[in-house]
């Protein structure tokens, strides 16, 4: 099926990225997997390749582009190779939009050059123990000091991807109590330096999948955050979070589609090589039918993911459309990867095979960024139900 979403520049980038992955990631990926994270030094290599600056204005050291298509290619190529780039995805896909949207000129001058160079890796801390998808229920507080020079941050966050290696974290905290009319009021965003006194990284969480991505618990005990590091206006944080959710959910949708596509590739290679009863597994009608059905689902997910990508680049992706893309692509990936693992037989359950790691990595797609159930709620509301 012919695609029109990428041009020659994108395909040249794809070739460069594919070569980089083969040279710099694949040979050491088992070591990362065993360690439970990619090494901090690897992020400097991503920076040298230019991946952190694609969407950063030229005046701060970036390429000055306004497109997510290069990110889309990263999803496809890492999935194709059966690897990830550790926890670096939140640096660009999640943190950067908030800096670009909310930071003052002075803040951008401080933040973005080090962002592009990889000198400062960013993460974002929303989720708290016990709150899950209910961000309005967060308990972390940031109280303005009497002299008005800084905020005092107290609380805890969990499931923070990139939290171990992060140098800066966008922390969501309450600066005012919610009102009777709006329980989402009173949340603010802060760029917090992880070297601040009272800031601590707790457990590096042992996840089912995404083993090379550092995910941590964070704690704040009387952390002083300069008023100059408030992002945007006080008490409007929840609405800023809502504004960036479509791009986050597009990223999860596209990543899931890419994983499903990779799963079909892995399964096709395996069944063509594997012999049982004197015949290749690929020669059995059931194998052909299963892979054909999987390919049809991948084709549909690709069309949905590409359409959402074009809408996102055009600034037209609505929350409901993003929710629909995430719901569809993640559910497709769930079905396809499960069926492709089944075609591997017992070997599909072994972590030495990429399909096994893909199976575990994919599972969280229907949870983070809003569960599938939350996506259905958003879509139904948009339908007027």
């Amino acid at each position: 099926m012919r695609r029109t979403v990428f041009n020659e520049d994108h395909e040249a980038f794809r070739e460069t990225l594919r070569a980089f992955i083969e040279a710099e990631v694949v040979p050491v990926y088992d070591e990362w997997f065993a360690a439970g994270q990619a090494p901090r030094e690897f992020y400097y290599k991503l920076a040298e390749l230019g991946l952190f600056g694609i969407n950063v204005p030229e005046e701060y050291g970036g390429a000055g582009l306004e497109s997510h298509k290069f990110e889309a290619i990263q999803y496809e190529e890492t999935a194709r190779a059966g690897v990830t780039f550790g926890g670096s995805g939140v640096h660009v896909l999640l943190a950067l939009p908030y800096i670009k949207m909310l930071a003052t000129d002075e803040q951008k001058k401080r933040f973005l050059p080090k962002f592009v160079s990889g000198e400062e890796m960013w993460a974002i801390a929303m989720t708290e123990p016990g709150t899950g998808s209910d961000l309005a229920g967060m308990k972390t507080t940031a109280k303005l000091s009497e002299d008005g020079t800084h905020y005092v941050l107290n609380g805890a966050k969990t499931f923070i991807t990139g939290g171990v290696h992060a140098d800066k974290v966008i922390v969501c905290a309450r600066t005012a109590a919610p009102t009777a009319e709006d329980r989402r009021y009173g949340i603010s965003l802060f760029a917090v330096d992880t070297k601040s006194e009272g800031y601590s990284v707790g457990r590096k969480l042992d996840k089912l999948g995404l083993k090379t991505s550092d995910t941590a618990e964070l704690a704040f005990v009387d952390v002083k955050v300069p008023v100059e590091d408030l992002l945007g206006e006080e008490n409007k944080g929840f609405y800023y979070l809502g504004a960036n959710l479509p791009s986050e959910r597009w990223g999860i949708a596209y990543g899931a589609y890419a994983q499903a596509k990779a799963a079909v590739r892995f399964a096709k290679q395996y069944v063509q090589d594997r012999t049982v009863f004197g015949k290749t597994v690929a020669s059995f009608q059931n194998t052909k039918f299963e892979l054909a059905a999987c390919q049809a689902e991948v084709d549909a997910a690709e069309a949905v993911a590409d359409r959402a990508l074009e809408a996102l680049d055009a600034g037209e992706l609505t929350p409901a459309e993003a929710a629909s893309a995430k719901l569809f692509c993640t559910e497709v990936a769930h079905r396809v990867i499960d069926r492709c693992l089944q075609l591997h037989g017992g070997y599909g359950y072994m972590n030495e095979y990429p399909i096994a790691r893909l199976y575990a990595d994919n599972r969280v797609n229907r949870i983070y960024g809003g569960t599938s159930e939350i996506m259905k709620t958003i879509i139904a509301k948009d339908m007027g139900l």
Side-chain angles (χ1 to χ4, degrees), residues 70 324-325 337 348 370:
F70 295 95
S324 179
I337 294 170

Side-chain angles (χ1 to χ4, degrees), residues 69 151 163:
K69 292 183 179 180
Y151 292 85

Side-chain angles (χ1 to χ4, degrees), residues 203-276:
R203 291 186 303 149
K204 181 167 74 67
L205 300 175
D206 184 15
K207 306 186 298 297
L208 171 67
L210 297 175
K211 290 290 189 179
T212 66
S213 170
D214 57 302
T215 303
E217 296 173 330
L218 306 180
F220 321 110
V221 179
D222 294 333
V223 176
K224 293 182 179 179
V225 183
V227 292
E228 293 82 8
D229 289 342
L230 171 70
L231 288 173
E233 294 184 43
E234 198 177 76
N235 300 325
K236 293 187 177 181
F238 191 94
Y239 307 100
Y240 298 145
L241 296 174
N244 279 317
L245 277 175
S247 65
E248 178 183 351
R249 288 169 178 162
W250 163 81
I252 297 170
Y254 215 95
Y257 139 69
Q259 289 175 324
K261 183 176 182 178
V264 173
R265 176 173 178 266
F266 295 144
K268 179 181 175 183
Q269 290 175 335
Y270 179 81
V271 299
Q272 288 176 328
D273 294 336
R274 174 71 168 158
T275 300
V276 294

Side-chain angles (χ1 to χ4, degrees), residues 128-129 139-142 152-158 171-173 198-200 217-223:
E128 297 183 1
K139 304 298 183 183
T140 297
T141 61
V152 180
L153 183 66
N154 283 283
K157 300 289 182 178
T158 192
V171 177
C172 311
Y199 179 106
S200 63
E217 296 173 330
L218 306 180
F220 321 110
V221 179
D222 294 333
V223 176

Side-chain angles (χ1 to χ4, degrees), residues 54-381:
I54 292 173
N55 292 328
V56 173
E58 293 182 34
E59 62 189 292
Y60 305 112
L65 302 180
E66 289 292 339
S67 174
H68 291 270
K69 292 183 179 180
F70 295 95
E71 292 169 30
I73 292 170
Q74 291 176 57
Y75 284 124
E76 291 185 335
E77 291 305 309
T78 51
R80 179 183 182 276
V83 301
T84 72
F85 283 164
S88 66
V90 298
H91 183 66
V92 174
L93 183 64
L94 299 189
L96 181 58
Y98 290 100
I99 301 173
K100 291 175 66 177
M101 176 176 71
L102 303 176
T104 64
D105 289 342
E106 184 275 331
Q107 288 175 325
K108 289 177 181 178
K109 289 176 183 177
R110 281 195 288 130
F111 298 152
L112 288 177
K114 292 180 180 180
F115 181 101
V116 172
S117 69
E119 183 178 345
E120 288 185 347
M121 295 298 297
W122 287 65
I124 183 165
M126 302 185 212
T127 305
E128 297 183 1
T131 61
S133 297
D134 182 21
L135 294 178
M138 68 176 61
K139 304 298 183 183
T140 297
T141 61
K143 296 183 179 180
L144 189 64
S145 62
E146 291 185 3
D147 62 6
T149 62
H150 62 273
Y151 292 85
V152 180
L153 183 66
N154 283 283
K157 300 289 182 178
T158 192
F159 305 147
I160 309 307
T161 302
V164 175
H165 285 318
D167 303 288
K168 296 278 190 182
V169 177
I170 298 174
V171 177
C172 311
R174 281 213 164 272
T175 44
T179 66
E181 297 77 22
D182 187 0
R183 63 189 295 267
R184 298 170 296 182
Y185 173 81
I187 294 172
S188 301
L189 307 185
F190 300 89
V192 179
D193 191 322
T194 62
K195 296 186 292 296
S196 301
E197 184 178 354
Y199 179 106
S200 63
V201 178
R203 291 186 303 149
K204 181 167 74 67
L205 300 175
D206 184 15
K207 306 186 298 297
L208 171 67
L210 297 175
K211 290 290 189 179
T212 66
S213 170
D214 57 302
T215 303
E217 296 173 330
L218 306 180
F220 321 110
V221 179
D222 294 333
V223 176
K224 293 182 179 179
V225 183
V227 292
E228 293 82 8
D229 289 342
L230 171 70
L231 288 173
E233 294 184 43
E234 198 177 76
N235 300 325
K236 293 187 177 181
F238 191 94
Y239 307 100
Y240 298 145
L241 296 174
N244 279 317
L245 277 175
S247 65
E248 178 183 351
R249 288 169 178 162
W250 163 81
I252 297 170
Y254 215 95
Y257 139 69
Q259 289 175 324
K261 183 176 182 178
V264 173
R265 176 173 178 266
F266 295 144
K268 179 181 175 183
Q269 290 175 335
Y270 179 81
V271 299
Q272 288 176 328
D273 294 336
R274 174 71 168 158
T275 300
V276 294
F277 306 117
K279 299 164 56 176
T280 64
V281 176
S283 66
F284 291 92
Q285 186 182 64
N286 179 68
T287 303
K288 296 176 181 179
F289 281 7
E290 283 292 286
L291 282 178
C294 287
Q295 184 61 54
E297 289 217 76
V298 169
D299 286 344
E302 181 178 87
V304 169
D306 282 355
R307 185 182 69 175
L309 171 57
E310 294 283 25
L312 181 63
D313 270 11
E316 299 172 353
L317 184 64
T318 69
E321 290 169 345
S324 179
K326 180 183 185 293
L327 176 65
F328 182 77
C329 291
T330 57
E331 294 292 339
V332 164
H334 162 65
R335 293 191 296 270
V336 167
I337 294 170
D338 184 74
R339 294 165 84 174
C340 288
L341 186 150
Q342 188 73 16
L343 289 173
H344 281 71
Y347 289 104
Y349 206 64
M350 301 296 110
N351 273 328
E352 64 187 275
Y353 281 80
I355 192 67
R357 298 180 182 182
L358 197 60
Y359 183 86
D361 289 351
N362 173 261
R363 184 60 184 87
V364 75
N365 289 333
R366 291 182 290 148
I367 299 174
Y368 68 2
T371 64
S372 290
E373 291 72 27
I374 294 293
M375 297 304 99
K376 292 174 183 177
T377 300
I378 294 170
I379 297 165
K381 184 177 181 180

